[in-house]
PDB file of all heavy atoms in Angstrom:
ATOM      1  N   GLY A 411      -8.697   4.605 -11.505  1.00 87.00           N
ATOM      2  CA  GLY A 411      -8.083   5.222 -10.321  1.00 87.00           C
ATOM      3  C   GLY A 411      -8.065   4.203  -9.183  1.00 87.00           C
ATOM      4  O   GLY A 411      -8.575   3.083  -9.375  1.00 87.00           O
ATOM      5  N   TYR A 412      -7.525   4.569  -8.085  1.00 91.00           N
ATOM      6  CA  TYR A 412      -7.424   3.600  -6.976  1.00 91.00           C
ATOM      7  C   TYR A 412      -7.736   4.178  -5.601  1.00 91.00           C
ATOM      8  O   TYR A 412      -8.089   3.419  -4.665  1.00 91.00           O
ATOM      9  CB  TYR A 412      -6.016   2.914  -6.919  1.00 91.00           C
ATOM     10  CG  TYR A 412      -4.899   3.944  -6.896  1.00 91.00           C
ATOM     11  CD1 TYR A 412      -4.322   4.281  -5.634  1.00 91.00           C
ATOM     12  CD2 TYR A 412      -4.330   4.530  -8.022  1.00 91.00           C
ATOM     13  CE1 TYR A 412      -3.276   5.209  -5.567  1.00 91.00           C
ATOM     14  CE2 TYR A 412      -3.294   5.438  -7.942  1.00 91.00           C
ATOM     15  CZ  TYR A 412      -2.811   5.727  -6.688  1.00 91.00           C
ATOM     16  OH  TYR A 412      -1.760   6.667  -6.641  1.00 91.00           O
ATOM     17  N   LYS A 413      -7.635   5.446  -5.429  1.00 88.00           N
ATOM     18  CA  LYS A 413      -7.768   6.060  -4.066  1.00 88.00           C
ATOM     19  C   LYS A 413      -9.183   6.105  -3.575  1.00 88.00           C
ATOM     20  O   LYS A 413      -9.417   6.331  -2.413  1.00 88.00           O
ATOM     21  CB  LYS A 413      -7.142   7.424  -4.036  1.00 88.00           C
ATOM     22  CG  LYS A 413      -5.642   7.458  -4.210  1.00 88.00           C
ATOM     23  CD  LYS A 413      -5.052   8.825  -4.124  1.00 88.00           C
ATOM     24  CE  LYS A 413      -3.502   8.759  -4.258  1.00 88.00           C
ATOM     25  NZ  LYS A 413      -2.909  10.168  -4.228  1.00 88.00           N
ATOM     26  N   MET A 414     -10.141   5.852  -4.496  1.00 89.00           N
ATOM     27  CA  MET A 414     -11.602   5.960  -4.078  1.00 89.00           C
ATOM     28  C   MET A 414     -12.026   4.750  -3.314  1.00 89.00           C
ATOM     29  O   MET A 414     -13.070   4.714  -2.719  1.00 89.00           O
ATOM     30  CB  MET A 414     -12.503   6.193  -5.241  1.00 89.00           C
ATOM     31  CG  MET A 414     -12.616   5.034  -6.256  1.00 89.00           C
ATOM     32  SD  MET A 414     -11.135   4.872  -7.315  1.00 89.00           S
ATOM     33  CE  MET A 414     -11.406   6.282  -8.432  1.00 89.00           C
ATOM     34  N   GLU A 415     -11.180   3.696  -3.286  1.00 92.00           N
ATOM     35  CA  GLU A 415     -11.554   2.451  -2.573  1.00 92.00           C
ATOM     36  C   GLU A 415     -10.312   1.905  -1.844  1.00 92.00           C
ATOM     37  O   GLU A 415      -9.189   2.295  -2.193  1.00 92.00           O
ATOM     38  CB  GLU A 415     -11.965   1.415  -3.616  1.00 92.00           C
ATOM     39  CG  GLU A 415     -13.337   1.553  -4.224  1.00 92.00           C
ATOM     40  CD  GLU A 415     -13.750   0.397  -5.079  1.00 92.00           C
ATOM     41  OE1 GLU A 415     -12.921  -0.459  -5.398  1.00 92.00           O
ATOM     42  OE2 GLU A 415     -14.936   0.354  -5.508  1.00 92.00           O
ATOM     43  N   PRO A 416     -10.529   0.990  -0.899  1.00 94.00           N
ATOM     44  CA  PRO A 416      -9.374   0.224  -0.370  1.00 94.00           C
ATOM     45  C   PRO A 416      -8.677  -0.457  -1.506  1.00 94.00           C
ATOM     46  O   PRO A 416      -9.291  -1.035  -2.358  1.00 94.00           O
ATOM     47  CB  PRO A 416     -10.065  -0.761   0.613  1.00 94.00           C
ATOM     48  CG  PRO A 416     -11.353  -0.102   0.960  1.00 94.00           C
ATOM     49  CD  PRO A 416     -11.820   0.611  -0.289  1.00 94.00           C
ATOM     50  N   HIS A 417      -7.362  -0.468  -1.424  1.00 96.00           N
ATOM     51  CA  HIS A 417      -6.542  -1.054  -2.557  1.00 96.00           C
ATOM     52  C   HIS A 417      -5.204  -1.561  -1.972  1.00 96.00           C
ATOM     53  O   HIS A 417      -4.847  -1.217  -0.899  1.00 96.00           O
ATOM     54  CB  HIS A 417      -6.281   0.014  -3.645  1.00 96.00           C
ATOM     55  CG  HIS A 417      -5.632   1.236  -3.150  1.00 96.00           C
ATOM     56  ND1 HIS A 417      -6.253   2.271  -2.539  1.00 96.00           N
ATOM     57  CD2 HIS A 417      -4.315   1.564  -3.065  1.00 96.00           C
ATOM     58  CE1 HIS A 417      -5.446   3.228  -2.207  1.00 96.00           C
ATOM     59  NE2 HIS A 417      -4.203   2.820  -2.534  1.00 96.00           N
ATOM     60  N   PHE A 418      -4.556  -2.286  -2.759  1.00 98.00           N
ATOM     61  CA  PHE A 418      -3.224  -2.825  -2.465  1.00 98.00           C
ATOM     62  C   PHE A 418      -2.184  -1.874  -2.982  1.00 98.00           C
ATOM     63  O   PHE A 418      -2.292  -1.482  -4.138  1.00 98.00           O
ATOM     64  CB  PHE A 418      -2.968  -4.222  -2.986  1.00 98.00           C
ATOM     65  CG  PHE A 418      -3.958  -5.263  -2.403  1.00 98.00           C
ATOM     66  CD1 PHE A 418      -4.941  -5.866  -3.215  1.00 98.00           C
ATOM     67  CD2 PHE A 418      -3.812  -5.722  -1.144  1.00 98.00           C
ATOM     68  CE1 PHE A 418      -5.811  -6.789  -2.682  1.00 98.00           C
ATOM     69  CE2 PHE A 418      -4.674  -6.681  -0.585  1.00 98.00           C
ATOM     70  CZ  PHE A 418      -5.689  -7.186  -1.387  1.00 98.00           C
ATOM     71  N   GLN A 419      -1.159  -1.604  -2.148  1.00 98.00           N
ATOM     72  CA  GLN A 419      -0.057  -0.799  -2.632  1.00 98.00           C
ATOM     73  C   GLN A 419       1.253  -1.472  -2.458  1.00 98.00           C
ATOM     74  O   GLN A 419       1.490  -2.252  -1.522  1.00 98.00           O
ATOM     75  CB  GLN A 419      -0.034   0.533  -1.860  1.00 98.00           C
ATOM     76  CG  GLN A 419      -0.842   1.668  -2.413  1.00 98.00           C
ATOM     77  CD  GLN A 419      -0.493   3.056  -1.835  1.00 98.00           C
ATOM     78  OE1 GLN A 419       0.613   3.212  -1.359  1.00 98.00           O
ATOM     79  NE2 GLN A 419      -1.390   3.955  -1.913  1.00 98.00           N
ATOM     80  N   LEU A 420       2.178  -1.209  -3.430  1.00 98.00           N
ATOM     81  CA  LEU A 420       3.566  -1.583  -3.396  1.00 98.00           C
ATOM     82  C   LEU A 420       4.311  -0.322  -3.620  1.00 98.00           C
ATOM     83  O   LEU A 420       4.144   0.399  -4.593  1.00 98.00           O
ATOM     84  CB  LEU A 420       3.889  -2.621  -4.449  1.00 98.00           C
ATOM     85  CG  LEU A 420       5.392  -2.989  -4.599  1.00 98.00           C
ATOM     86  CD1 LEU A 420       5.905  -3.773  -3.390  1.00 98.00           C
ATOM     87  CD2 LEU A 420       5.592  -3.747  -5.956  1.00 98.00           C
ATOM     88  N   GLY A 421       5.228   0.023  -2.710  1.00 98.00           N
ATOM     89  CA  GLY A 421       5.952   1.213  -2.813  1.00 98.00           C
ATOM     90  C   GLY A 421       7.291   1.187  -2.128  1.00 98.00           C
ATOM     91  O   GLY A 421       7.669   0.227  -1.444  1.00 98.00           O
ATOM     92  N   ILE A 422       8.028   2.282  -2.270  1.00 98.00           N
ATOM     93  CA  ILE A 422       9.406   2.361  -1.718  1.00 98.00           C
ATOM     94  C   ILE A 422       9.708   3.747  -1.142  1.00 98.00           C
ATOM     95  O   ILE A 422       9.428   4.758  -1.860  1.00 98.00           O
ATOM     96  CB  ILE A 422      10.427   1.951  -2.808  1.00 98.00           C
ATOM     97  CG1 ILE A 422      11.851   1.986  -2.265  1.00 98.00           C
ATOM     98  CG2 ILE A 422      10.315   2.789  -4.023  1.00 98.00           C
ATOM     99  CD1 ILE A 422      12.886   1.310  -3.208  1.00 98.00           C
ATOM    100  N   TRP A 423      10.203   3.792   0.071  1.00 98.00           N
ATOM    101  CA  TRP A 423      10.830   4.940   0.675  1.00 98.00           C
ATOM    102  C   TRP A 423      12.315   4.790   0.654  1.00 98.00           C
ATOM    103  O   TRP A 423      12.809   3.643   0.319  1.00 98.00           O
ATOM    104  CB  TRP A 423      10.374   5.077   2.110  1.00 98.00           C
ATOM    105  CG  TRP A 423       8.981   5.572   2.293  1.00 98.00           C
ATOM    106  CD1 TRP A 423       7.861   4.828   2.496  1.00 98.00           C
ATOM    107  CD2 TRP A 423       8.592   6.952   2.478  1.00 98.00           C
ATOM    108  NE1 TRP A 423       6.761   5.642   2.659  1.00 98.00           N
ATOM    109  CE2 TRP A 423       7.193   7.008   2.701  1.00 98.00           C
ATOM    110  CE3 TRP A 423       9.263   8.189   2.385  1.00 98.00           C
ATOM    111  CZ2 TRP A 423       6.469   8.138   2.863  1.00 98.00           C
ATOM    112  CZ3 TRP A 423       8.536   9.353   2.541  1.00 98.00           C
ATOM    113  CH2 TRP A 423       7.185   9.329   2.767  1.00 98.00           C
ATOM    114  N   PRO A 424      13.098   5.760   0.971  1.00 98.00           N
ATOM    115  CA  PRO A 424      14.548   5.615   0.974  1.00 98.00           C
ATOM    116  C   PRO A 424      15.073   4.482   1.881  1.00 98.00           C
ATOM    117  O   PRO A 424      16.173   3.947   1.637  1.00 98.00           O
ATOM    118  CB  PRO A 424      15.120   6.982   1.389  1.00 98.00           C
ATOM    119  CG  PRO A 424      14.048   7.926   1.036  1.00 98.00           C
ATOM    120  CD  PRO A 424      12.754   7.189   1.167  1.00 98.00           C
ATOM    121  N   ASP A 425      14.290   4.151   2.937  1.00 97.00           N
ATOM    122  CA  ASP A 425      14.721   3.166   3.897  1.00 97.00           C
ATOM    123  C   ASP A 425      14.024   1.806   3.839  1.00 97.00           C
ATOM    124  O   ASP A 425      14.474   0.904   4.493  1.00 97.00           O
ATOM    125  CB  ASP A 425      14.525   3.741   5.282  1.00 97.00           C
ATOM    126  CG  ASP A 425      15.468   4.969   5.508  1.00 97.00           C
ATOM    127  OD1 ASP A 425      16.591   5.013   4.981  1.00 97.00           O
ATOM    128  OD2 ASP A 425      15.066   5.854   6.247  1.00 97.00           O
ATOM    129  N   TYR A 426      12.959   1.711   3.124  1.00 98.00           N
ATOM    130  CA  TYR A 426      12.234   0.411   3.069  1.00 98.00           C
ATOM    131  C   TYR A 426      11.259   0.333   1.880  1.00 98.00           C
ATOM    132  O   TYR A 426      10.849   1.374   1.280  1.00 98.00           O
ATOM    133  CB  TYR A 426      11.518   0.160   4.369  1.00 98.00           C
ATOM    134  CG  TYR A 426      10.352   1.098   4.713  1.00 98.00           C
ATOM    135  CD1 TYR A 426       9.108   1.019   4.134  1.00 98.00           C
ATOM    136  CD2 TYR A 426      10.589   2.146   5.609  1.00 98.00           C
ATOM    137  CE1 TYR A 426       8.093   1.831   4.434  1.00 98.00           C
ATOM    138  CE2 TYR A 426       9.527   3.053   5.960  1.00 98.00           C
ATOM    139  CZ  TYR A 426       8.296   2.859   5.357  1.00 98.00           C
ATOM    140  OH  TYR A 426       7.299   3.727   5.645  1.00 98.00           O
ATOM    141  N   VAL A 427      10.869  -0.875   1.549  1.00 98.00           N
ATOM    142  CA  VAL A 427       9.815  -1.163   0.615  1.00 98.00           C
ATOM    143  C   VAL A 427       8.573  -1.509   1.371  1.00 98.00           C
ATOM    144  O   VAL A 427       8.734  -2.201   2.434  1.00 98.00           O
ATOM    145  CB  VAL A 427      10.226  -2.302  -0.355  1.00 98.00           C
ATOM    146  CG1 VAL A 427       9.004  -2.852  -1.095  1.00 98.00           C
ATOM    147  CG2 VAL A 427      11.250  -1.878  -1.334  1.00 98.00           C
ATOM    148  N   PHE A 428       7.410  -1.046   0.956  1.00 98.00           N
ATOM    149  CA  PHE A 428       6.141  -1.417   1.670  1.00 98.00           C
ATOM    150  C   PHE A 428       5.155  -2.170   0.821  1.00 98.00           C
ATOM    151  O   PHE A 428       5.109  -1.931  -0.389  1.00 98.00           O
ATOM    152  CB  PHE A 428       5.557  -0.120   2.269  1.00 98.00           C
ATOM    153  CG  PHE A 428       5.197   0.990   1.345  1.00 98.00           C
ATOM    154  CD1 PHE A 428       4.009   0.945   0.597  1.00 98.00           C
ATOM    155  CD2 PHE A 428       6.071   2.054   1.123  1.00 98.00           C
ATOM    156  CE1 PHE A 428       3.732   1.986  -0.300  1.00 98.00           C
ATOM    157  CE2 PHE A 428       5.756   3.053   0.243  1.00 98.00           C
ATOM    158  CZ  PHE A 428       4.580   3.004  -0.505  1.00 98.00           C
ATOM    159  N   MET A 429       4.401  -2.946   1.517  1.00 98.00           N
ATOM    160  CA  MET A 429       3.262  -3.696   0.951  1.00 98.00           C
ATOM    161  C   MET A 429       2.058  -3.355   1.827  1.00 98.00           C
ATOM    162  O   MET A 429       1.949  -3.861   2.920  1.00 98.00           O
ATOM    163  CB  MET A 429       3.512  -5.187   0.873  1.00 98.00           C
ATOM    164  CG  MET A 429       4.699  -5.641   0.031  1.00 98.00           C
ATOM    165  SD  MET A 429       6.254  -5.395   0.833  1.00 98.00           S
ATOM    166  CE  MET A 429       6.220  -6.626   2.101  1.00 98.00           C
ATOM    167  N   TRP A 430       1.167  -2.486   1.362  1.00 98.00           N
ATOM    168  CA  TRP A 430       0.058  -2.093   2.134  1.00 98.00           C
ATOM    169  C   TRP A 430      -1.340  -2.508   1.622  1.00 98.00           C
ATOM    170  O   TRP A 430      -1.471  -2.636   0.373  1.00 98.00           O
ATOM    171  CB  TRP A 430      -0.024  -0.575   2.135  1.00 98.00           C
ATOM    172  CG  TRP A 430       1.070   0.232   2.893  1.00 98.00           C
ATOM    173  CD1 TRP A 430       1.687   1.328   2.382  1.00 98.00           C
ATOM    174  CD2 TRP A 430       1.479   0.109   4.243  1.00 98.00           C
ATOM    175  NE1 TRP A 430       2.539   1.844   3.303  1.00 98.00           N
ATOM    176  CE2 TRP A 430       2.446   1.144   4.472  1.00 98.00           C
ATOM    177  CE3 TRP A 430       1.184  -0.770   5.224  1.00 98.00           C
ATOM    178  CZ2 TRP A 430       3.079   1.295   5.685  1.00 98.00           C
ATOM    179  CZ3 TRP A 430       1.885  -0.670   6.444  1.00 98.00           C
ATOM    180  CH2 TRP A 430       2.791   0.342   6.653  1.00 98.00           C
ATOM    181  N   LEU A 431      -2.266  -2.666   2.490  1.00 98.00           N
ATOM    182  CA  LEU A 431      -3.716  -2.479   2.155  1.00 98.00           C
ATOM    183  C   LEU A 431      -3.927  -1.045   2.575  1.00 98.00           C
ATOM    184  O   LEU A 431      -3.799  -0.734   3.739  1.00 98.00           O
ATOM    185  CB  LEU A 431      -4.541  -3.453   2.996  1.00 98.00           C
ATOM    186  CG  LEU A 431      -6.087  -3.175   2.956  1.00 98.00           C
ATOM    187  CD1 LEU A 431      -6.615  -3.090   1.553  1.00 98.00           C
ATOM    188  CD2 LEU A 431      -6.836  -4.176   3.815  1.00 98.00           C
TER     189      LEU A 431
END
Side-chain angles (χ1 to χ4, degrees):
Y412 56 94
K413 292 182 180 179
M414 68 283 288
E415 287 186 349
H417 58 275
F418 296 108
Q419 270 196 23
L420 171 69
I422 181 170
W423 284 94
D425 296 326
Y426 64 81
V427 166
F428 58 83
M429 297 79 68
W430 291 131
L431 167 58

